[in-house]
Tab-separated table of all heavy atoms in Angstrom:
chain	number	residue	atom	x	y	z
B	191	VAL	N	-15.829	-78.287	-91.626
B	191	VAL	CA	-14.813	-78.261	-92.674
B	191	VAL	C	-13.662	-77.358	-92.248
B	191	VAL	O	-13.873	-76.210	-91.855
B	191	VAL	CB	-15.415	-77.760	-94.007
B	191	VAL	CG1	-14.341	-77.707	-95.090
B	191	VAL	CG2	-16.564	-78.663	-94.445
B	192	THR	N	-12.450	-77.903	-92.310
B	192	THR	CA	-11.271	-77.096	-91.962
B	192	THR	C	-10.311	-77.053	-93.146
B	192	THR	O	-10.334	-77.919	-94.022
B	192	THR	CB	-10.524	-77.681	-90.736
B	192	THR	OG1	-10.466	-79.102	-90.883
B	192	THR	CG2	-11.231	-77.363	-89.441
B	193	GLY	N	-9.460	-76.016	-93.175
B	193	GLY	CA	-8.438	-75.924	-94.219
B	193	GLY	C	-8.934	-75.254	-95.488
B	193	GLY	O	-8.322	-75.397	-96.553
B	194	ILE	N	-10.011	-74.507	-95.406
B	194	ILE	CA	-10.529	-73.809	-96.583
B	194	ILE	C	-11.293	-72.601	-96.053
B	194	ILE	O	-11.774	-72.618	-94.923
B	194	ILE	CB	-11.471	-74.742	-97.392
B	194	ILE	CG1	-11.797	-74.145	-98.776
B	194	ILE	CG2	-12.736	-75.069	-96.632
B	194	ILE	CD1	-12.462	-75.148	-99.730
B	195	GLU	N	-11.327	-71.515	-96.841
B	195	GLU	CA	-12.115	-70.407	-96.296
B	195	GLU	C	-13.433	-70.247	-97.060
B	195	GLU	O	-13.637	-70.874	-98.089
B	195	GLU	CB	-11.271	-69.135	-96.141
B	195	GLU	CG	-10.609	-68.614	-97.355
B	195	GLU	CD	-11.531	-67.711	-98.087
B	195	GLU	OE1	-12.125	-66.841	-97.440
B	195	GLU	OE2	-11.690	-67.919	-99.298
B	196	GLU	N	-14.329	-69.431	-96.502
B	196	GLU	CA	-15.727	-69.478	-96.941
B	196	GLU	C	-15.905	-69.161	-98.424
B	196	GLU	O	-16.719	-69.786	-99.096
B	196	GLU	CB	-16.598	-68.538	-96.097
B	196	GLU	CG	-18.075	-68.945	-96.157
B	196	GLU	CD	-19.028	-67.948	-95.509
B	196	GLU	OE1	-18.611	-66.842	-95.161
B	196	GLU	OE2	-20.211	-68.299	-95.391
B	197	SER	N	-15.125	-68.191	-98.930
B	197	SER	CA	-15.333	-67.834	-100.336
B	197	SER	C	-14.867	-68.955	-101.258
B	197	SER	O	-15.294	-69.043	-102.406
B	197	SER	CB	-14.624	-66.518	-100.668
B	197	SER	OG	-13.242	-66.639	-100.455
B	198	SER	N	-13.983	-69.846	-100.762
B	198	SER	CA	-13.546	-70.972	-101.584
B	198	SER	C	-14.485	-72.167	-101.471
B	198	SER	O	-14.477	-73.066	-102.314
B	198	SER	CB	-12.134	-71.404	-101.186
B	198	SER	OG	-11.264	-70.310	-101.301
B	199	ILE	N	-15.271	-72.202	-100.402
B	199	ILE	CA	-16.233	-73.300	-100.281
B	199	ILE	C	-17.529	-72.954	-101.021
B	199	ILE	O	-18.345	-73.846	-101.329
B	199	ILE	CB	-16.496	-73.673	-98.800
B	199	ILE	CG1	-16.762	-75.182	-98.703
B	199	ILE	CG2	-17.650	-72.898	-98.206
B	199	ILE	CD1	-16.865	-75.710	-97.309
B	200	ALA	N	-17.702	-71.680	-101.376
B	200	ALA	CA	-18.942	-71.239	-102.046
B	200	ALA	C	-19.268	-72.066	-103.292
B	200	ALA	O	-20.407	-72.527	-103.442
B	200	ALA	CB	-18.875	-69.739	-102.366
B	201	PRO	N	-18.302	-72.297	-104.212
B	201	PRO	CA	-18.643	-73.098	-105.402
B	201	PRO	C	-19.002	-74.550	-105.052
B	201	PRO	O	-19.803	-75.174	-105.747
B	201	PRO	CB	-17.373	-73.066	-106.260
B	201	PRO	CG	-16.403	-72.162	-105.591
B	201	PRO	CD	-16.935	-71.757	-104.267
B	202	ILE	N	-18.433	-75.072	-103.974
B	202	ILE	CA	-18.769	-76.435	-103.528
B	202	ILE	C	-20.218	-76.471	-103.035
B	202	ILE	O	-20.998	-77.365	-103.375
B	202	ILE	CB	-17.792	-76.900	-102.415
B	202	ILE	CG1	-16.364	-76.978	-102.986
B	202	ILE	CG2	-18.232	-78.217	-101.795
B	202	ILE	CD1	-15.310	-77.401	-101.974
B	203	VAL	N	-20.575	-75.468	-102.240
B	203	VAL	CA	-21.949	-75.365	-101.754
B	203	VAL	C	-22.917	-75.286	-102.943
B	203	VAL	O	-23.936	-75.991	-102.988
B	203	VAL	CB	-22.108	-74.128	-100.827
B	203	VAL	CG1	-23.579	-73.829	-100.558
B	203	VAL	CG2	-21.361	-74.338	-99.515
B	204	ASP	N	-22.570	-74.460	-103.925
B	204	ASP	CA	-23.422	-74.339	-105.126
B	204	ASP	C	-23.589	-75.692	-105.807
B	204	ASP	O	-24.689	-76.058	-106.223
B	204	ASP	CB	-22.786	-73.365	-106.134
B	204	ASP	CG	-22.892	-71.919	-105.675
B	204	ASP	OD1	-23.657	-71.648	-104.726
B	204	ASP	OD2	-22.189	-71.069	-106.246
Side-chain angles (χ1 to χ4, degrees):
Chain B
V191 179
T192 42
I194 192 167
E195 57 87 48
E196 202 188 10
S197 61
S198 303
I199 213 173
I202 296 179
V203 168
D204 287 347

